[in-house]
């Protein structure tokens, strides 16, 4: 009973965070980017005490650079922030086993929404990565982030067309966890881990922001890939046992 309650709590906690992050992305459609950056920066980046000031936005190198880049790359920016959140939410429900069993048509429809949204939003994000302020290392990090997600989704699509449901499930889990970690864990690491790491190494903000920021890029999607395969390794034997 306790395990059931714990799983239910984790499920709704992850759902809440997923929807919150999706709404944050969609908010850029309705609120001017600078206004939203200023509001979210003051609210989420309270850990950056060294630069938490009225001119916070223009003392934070990433946000100042992104303001300029998003203005110059509007098509890629709006493609990424509108379709990306759609893929994030659709993928969450698409992996729900109860929905898959009770309503396979909805499951299939969510799958198409997930794939099509990724097909446009992820290349748009990779294009934005080409103009990333942190340089070549950050560029390769974002290319790895988007490329690993797209490859996993392509494999999932391939296997469902072959009617190989188990392999489809495995690649879908990889695809979604890489994307989820790339969105949520990446942001959480920027808010909490970077200030701690800069403090631990005796640095200052914003001067020493860039190096741990690049680490966050690689750490987010690679940890998603690692967690997905750990989960699959732990659950694969029980799944095979049930199918015998």
């Amino acid at each position: 009973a306790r395990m059931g309650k714990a799983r239910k709590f984790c499920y709704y906690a992850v759902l809440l965070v997923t929807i919150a992050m999706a709404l944050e992305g969609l908010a850029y459609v309705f609120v001017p980017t600078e206004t939203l950056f200023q509001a979210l920066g003051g609210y989420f980046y309270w850990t950056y005490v060294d630069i938490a000031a009225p001119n916070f936005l223009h003392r934070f190198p990433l946000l100042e650079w992104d303001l300029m880049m998003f203005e110059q790359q509007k098509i890629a920016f709006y493609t990424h922030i509108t379709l990306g959140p759609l893929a994030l939410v659709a993928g969450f429900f698409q992996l729900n086993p109860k929905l898959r069993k009770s309503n396979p048509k909805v499951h299939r429809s969510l799958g198409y929404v997930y794939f099509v949204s990724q097909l446009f939003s992820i290349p748009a994000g990779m294009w934005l990565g080409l103009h990333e302020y942190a340089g070549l290392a950050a560029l390769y990090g974002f290319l790895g982030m988007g490329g690993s997600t797209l490859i996993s989704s392509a494999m999932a699509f391939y296997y469902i067309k072959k009617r190989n449901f188990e392999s489809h499930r495995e690649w879908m889990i990889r695809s979604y966890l890489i994307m989820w970690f790339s969105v949520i864990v990446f942001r959480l690491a920027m808010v909490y881990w970077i200030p701690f790491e800069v403090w631990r190494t005796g640095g200052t903000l914003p001067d020493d922001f860039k190096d741990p920021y690049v680490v966050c890029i690689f750490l987010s999607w690679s940890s998603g890939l690692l967690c997905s395969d750990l989960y699959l390794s732990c659950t694969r034997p029980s799944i095979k046992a049930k199918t015998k």
Side-chain angles (χ1 to χ4, degrees):
R2 289 183 178 179
M3 282 296 293
K5 289 181 179 180
R7 286 181 179 178
K8 186 176 290 186
F9 173 80
C10 290
Y11 175 85
Y12 285 111
V14 172
L15 174 61
L16 181 64
V17 172
T18 301
I19 292 176
M21 287 297 175
L23 290 175
E24 184 251 339
L26 290 172
Y28 289 99
V29 178
F30 306 101
V31 182
T33 306
E34 184 168 354
T35 302
L36 195 59
F37 269 15
Q38 189 70 55
L40 292 177
Y43 186 75
F44 287 111
Y45 294 93
W46 56 270
T47 48
Y48 289 73
V49 291
D50 294 339
I51 53 175
N55 61 343
F56 164 83
L57 184 63
H58 297 291
R59 294 185 64 197
F60 198 112
L62 175 64
L63 298 183
E64 188 171 28
W65 181 277
D66 282 352
L67 274 176
M68 177 186 67
M69 179 178 66
F70 293 160
E71 185 65 26
Q72 294 173 350
Q73 307 293 333
K74 285 186 176 181
I75 295 176
F77 173 60
Y78 283 107
T79 300
H80 187 61
I81 64 167
T82 52
L83 295 179
L86 189 60
L88 191 67
V89 175
F92 181 89
F93 290 106
Q94 210 262 342
L95 290 178
N96 188 317
K98 291 183 178 179
L99 178 64
R100 184 174 66 246
K101 293 176 182 177
S102 62
N103 204 327
K105 288 185 178 180
V106 173
H107 171 78
R108 194 178 302 113
S109 297
L110 286 173
Y112 280 114
V113 170
Y114 179 75
F115 288 131
V116 172
S117 298
Q118 280 193 339
L119 194 60
F120 290 95
S121 65
I122 292 179
M126 294 167 75
W127 175 260
L128 292 173
L130 291 172
H131 305 85
E132 175 55 48
Y133 104 101
L136 187 64
L139 165 62
Y140 281 112
F142 282 119
L143 291 179
M145 181 186 289
S148 59
T149 309
L150 283 177
I151 290 171
S152 298
S153 296
M155 294 299 295
F157 187 79
Y158 170 80
Y159 279 115
I160 196 60
K161 290 300 181 182
K162 294 289 185 179
R163 311 291 290 177
N164 187 332
F165 297 110
E166 185 172 334
S167 294
H168 167 73
R169 168 188 170 276
E170 291 182 0
W171 282 104
M172 272 300 300
I173 288 173
R174 289 188 184 97
S175 169
Y176 188 72
L177 282 185
I178 294 171
M179 184 177 70
W180 196 89
F181 273 67
S182 297
V183 175
I184 284 85
V185 174
F186 177 55
R187 283 160 176 76
L188 290 176
M190 281 201 297
V191 173
Y192 298 108
W193 179 76
I194 288 180
F196 169 77
E197 186 64 17
V198 171
W199 169 81
R200 187 187 67 81
T201 56
T204 58
L205 288 168
D207 300 326
D208 298 297
F209 175 81
K210 182 179 290 187
D211 287 344
Y213 172 69
V214 172
V215 173
C216 282
I217 298 171
F218 283 93
L219 188 64
S220 60
W221 65 267
S222 59
S223 59
L225 180 59
L226 175 63
C227 288
S228 64
D229 274 274
L230 284 174
Y231 173 78
L232 291 171
S233 297
C234 293
T235 58
R236 192 175 290 121
S238 61
I239 291 171
K240 288 184 178 179
K242 289 179 181 179
T243 57
K244 286 182 179 178

